Amino acid sequence: MGVAASRVPGGDGATVVTSQKVREGRVDAYKRWQEKTNHVAEGFDGFEGAEVYPPGSGEENEWVAVFRFSRVDELTTWLDSGARRELLNEARPLFEGAPTQEVLAGGAPAPREQEAVTAVISHSVRPGKEPDFVRWQDKVRKVQEKHPGFMGTELFQPVEGIQDKWVVAFRFDTRDNLDDWLASADREKLLEEGHQYFSSYDVRKIGSAFSGWFRFGEGDEEGIPSNWKQAMSVVLALYPTVVVLNLTVGKVFAGWGIPGYLSLFLSNVLSVSILTWVLMPLVNRALTFWLLPDRARSVRTNAAGALVVMVCWAIFLLIFGLTTG
C-alpha cells in the first residue's frame, strides 16, 4: 500500500469535527438531538454530509460529529447561524462541558469504502514557529511511514476568523495500530522535539468511515459509485442502444443472411463499443452530481439522481413503445 505525503490543502471543501462528551444515561436523547441537528444542517447552502461516531470500546463517552460543506464561507454560515446556536443551547443538559471543534479547510474526499481509524490532532503553534512546525510534521510523517498500518496524513492550516489551531489528521488501518503509534517511543521522542514549536495539543480518535472524508494525497480518483448506481446507469445507456441496433443493424445483418448467433455477437460488439466510448462517458458526465461518492452524500441527492434515471427510463419506454408498436 502506497503512503501519501503530508500536504497543506488549498482547495475547496470545509469540514468541522466536533467532539462532545455525553452525560451518562443521556445517549438516546443525544442521538435524537444529533439527528435533528443533521436535518437542520441539510437546509444550509453547501451542505454535503454529516456523520456521527460513537466512542470506541473502553473509551470515555465522547461522541464525534463530522459536518462537511462545499466551501469555508458556507461552513461558517452554518457555524454562526442562529439555528445552530439554538440547537447547542437545547443540548447543553446532554453534555459534560462545552463541545470542542476543529475546522479543516480543504481536503478532497476519498472513496467511502476505505476502512480505517483516524486521529485528529489540533496544535496551538507558537507564534513565529509555523515554518518549523510544518518541517517537524514532515519529519513525523516520515517516521509514521515505517509503522505498521499507516495509511496517510494531511495537515490543515488555521482558518482565519474561525480558529487559530493547526490540525493534523492521519489514519491507520486498525485501532490497535493507531494506538501502538500513539504510545510508541518514536512518537514520544518526536513530541519532545515538537514542544518547542507548539504549546499544547489535543488528540481525538475517530473510527473507520471518517477516513473516507479525506484523500490523504492518495491519487486523484474520486471514488467508485455504488453498485446499484452503476447498474441503473448502464441500463439507462444500454436499453436504447440495444433497441436501436436491433431496429437498424439487426435488420441489415438479417438481410445479408448472417446467422443469428453471429449477428448477435456482432450486435454485442457494437453495443459494448458504443457504451464504452460514446454513451457511458456522456451518462457519467451528466450524472456526476449523483454518481460520485464525494458529491452524493445526502439522501436528497441520492433520491434526485435515482428519480432522474427512472424518468429517463420511462421516456425511452414511451418513445419505443409508440414507434415500434
Side-chain angles (χ1 to χ4, degrees):
M1 178 177 296
V3 177
S6 176
R7 66 184 179 86
V8 179
D12 291 337
T15 301
V16 59
V17 180
T18 304
S19 301
Q20 305 159 125
K21 185 174 292 186
V22 178
R23 295 182 185 276
E24 187 175 353
R26 305 304 305 273
V27 171
D28 289 340
Y30 164 72
K31 289 180 178 178
R32 291 191 295 270
W33 173 84
Q34 190 65 61
E35 289 179 1
K36 179 181 178 181
T37 301
N38 295 351
H39 180 70
V40 173
E42 287 180 6
F44 281 73
D45 290 341
F47 175 82
E48 292 188 351
E51 293 184 4
V52 180
Y53 302 94
S57 177
E59 297 181 356
E60 295 181 340
N61 199 23
E62 188 170 23
W63 291 67
V64 176
V66 179
F67 290 82
R68 184 175 178 87
F69 283 74
S70 300
R71 302 197 311 266
V72 171
D73 59 336
E74 292 170 335
L75 173 60
T76 303
T77 299
W78 157 246
L79 294 177
D80 295 339
S81 66
R84 182 170 180 268
R85 283 196 296 271
E86 290 180 7
L87 287 164
L88 291 176
N89 289 334
E90 176 185 334
R92 282 180 180 175
L94 305 178
F95 302 143
E96 294 181 8
T100 60
Q101 69 179 31
E102 287 86 22
V103 173
L104 316 181
R112 303 294 300 167
E113 290 79 3
Q114 294 179 340
E115 292 295 329
V117 179
T118 299
V120 177
I121 306 182
S122 56
H123 302 77
S124 297
V125 178
R126 301 182 189 278
K129 295 293 185 179
E130 292 84 359
D132 295 325
F133 175 77
V134 172
R135 286 191 290 270
W136 174 76
Q137 278 295 334
D138 187 61
K139 182 177 181 180
V140 172
R141 189 256 312 166
K142 291 178 180 178
V143 177
Q144 283 179 317
E145 291 177 356
K146 301 176 183 178
H147 277 251
F150 177 70
M151 298 179 68
T153 184
E154 193 160 8
L155 177 61
F156 297 87
Q157 298 183 37
V159 182
E160 185 176 358
I162 301 179
Q163 68 173 26
D164 56 4
K165 292 185 177 181
W166 289 70
V167 180
V168 180
F170 57 83
R171 70 176 178 225
F172 281 76
D173 57 353
T174 66
R175 182 171 289 271
D176 287 342
N177 282 335
L178 172 61
D179 290 340
D180 288 345
W181 160 251
L182 292 176
S184 67
D186 286 340
R187 181 170 180 270
E188 183 176 354
K189 183 178 179 180
L190 286 164
L191 286 176
E192 290 178 2
E193 176 186 342
H195 278 302
Q196 60 185 305
Y197 310 129
F198 60 85
S199 58
S200 64
Y201 70 94
D202 190 25
V203 181
R204 310 188 194 289
K205 291 181 285 185
I206 306 172
S208 71
F210 177 69
S211 62
W213 285 77
F214 298 98
R215 190 177 304 287
F216 292 87
E218 297 173 356
D220 296 324
E221 297 82 2
E222 290 187 324
I224 300 174
S226 303
N227 288 336
W228 65 275
K229 292 183 180 181
Q230 295 183 53
M232 291 183 70
S233 301
V234 170
V235 171
L236 176 62
L238 181 62
Y239 173 64
T241 302
V242 171
V243 174
V244 171
L245 287 177
N246 284 340
L247 294 175
T248 56
V249 178
K251 292 183 178 180
V252 172
F253 288 162
W256 289 350
I258 297 178
Y261 69 91
L262 182 57
S263 174
L264 182 60
F265 171 76
L266 294 174
S267 295
N268 284 339
V269 171
L270 285 173
S271 62
V272 171
S273 299
I274 293 171
L275 257 66
T276 302
W277 286 289
V278 180
L279 293 184
M280 286 311 299
L282 294 176
V283 170
N284 289 337
R285 192 175 302 117
L287 297 177
T288 296
F289 78 97
W290 176 64
L291 289 173
L292 292 185
D294 66 318
R295 301 192 183 185
R297 296 198 184 280
S298 71
V299 174
R300 286 185 297 177
T301 301
N302 281 317
L307 181 61
V308 168
V309 174
M310 288 187 287
V311 168
C312 291
W313 288 352
I315 292 173
F316 285 135
L317 287 170
L318 178 62
I319 291 174
F320 293 128
L322 294 175
T323 56
T324 64

